[in-house]
Amino acid sequence: MNKQYRAELEVVSGPRDGEVFTIDGKEFALGRTDVNDICLAFDRSIKEDRHLLVWFSDDGRWNVKNASAGKVLMDGAELKVTSELHVGKVIKVGDTELMVTLLEPGAGGKTEALEGKEDEEHHRRVKICPGKECRAENDVSEKYCKKCGRRLD
């Protein structure tokens, strides 16, 4: 059975605000040089060739770890150990903040997507605000966040 692994990360703050990186594969690297799947050469504050590793593990989880001596933040806390990665998490490398907007684990796994996430308690589709301090759930028909007013699409 052919498995499809895909991740999307959107720049929510930094030199290329709004740019979306789509990666097809079970693992990828992020760093300053073009040997990485996601090259952040535009961010001059990044000094490491390879800064971050992300992979889908055999136990069915997406994982992330700092692969450099430089500082990486996830949701404002320093990433010092391997951590599980979920949609909505914001990773800061240098001056660039990237929000995870899609994680597809392949056949048999559960896809997580930022827009259209299902609220299991109320069985409805919601949009999660991309504002790093907000993260409010909004009805899919809304264009602006009900809590902070940020544009949702």
Side-chain angles (χ1 to χ4, degrees), residues 51-91:
H51 217 78
L52 193 72
L53 294 175
V54 178
W55 71 97
F56 189 78
S57 60
D58 293 336
D59 63 0
R61 298 180 303 148
W62 280 95
N63 299 283
V64 60
K65 79 172 186 174
N66 185 347
S68 73
K71 186 187 277 190
V72 174
L73 302 177
M74 188 162 69
D75 288 341
E78 190 169 355
L79 186 62
K80 294 183 178 182
V81 297
T82 298
S83 296
E84 193 169 350
L85 190 62
H86 292 283
V87 165
K89 295 286 187 183
V90 175
I91 299 168

Side-chain angles (χ1 to χ4, degrees), residues 16 21 29-42:
R16 295 245 178 110
F21 296 97
L30 182 148
R32 180 175 53 99
T33 63
D34 62 4
V35 300
N36 296 287
D37 303 289
I38 297 177
C39 175
L40 300 178
F42 57 83

Side-chain angles (χ1 to χ4, degrees), residues 77-115:
E78 190 169 355
L79 186 62
K80 294 183 178 182
V81 297
T82 298
S83 296
E84 193 169 350
L85 190 62
H86 292 283
V87 165
K89 295 286 187 183
V90 175
I91 299 168
K92 183 173 184 182
V93 179
D95 292 331
T96 300
E97 291 185 348
L98 300 129
M99 179 185 290
V100 179
T101 58
L102 173 75
L103 294 172
E104 277 185 0
K110 181 180 176 189
T111 296
E112 285 187 57
L114 183 62
E115 293 198 33

Side-chain angles (χ1 to χ4, degrees), residues 106-125:
K110 181 180 176 189
T111 296
E112 285 187 57
L114 183 62
E115 293 198 33
K117 174 188 155 206
E118 187 168 324
D119 177 348
E120 293 175 10
E121 181 180 333
H122 300 100
H123 301 288
R124 62 185 172 93
R125 306 286 286 169

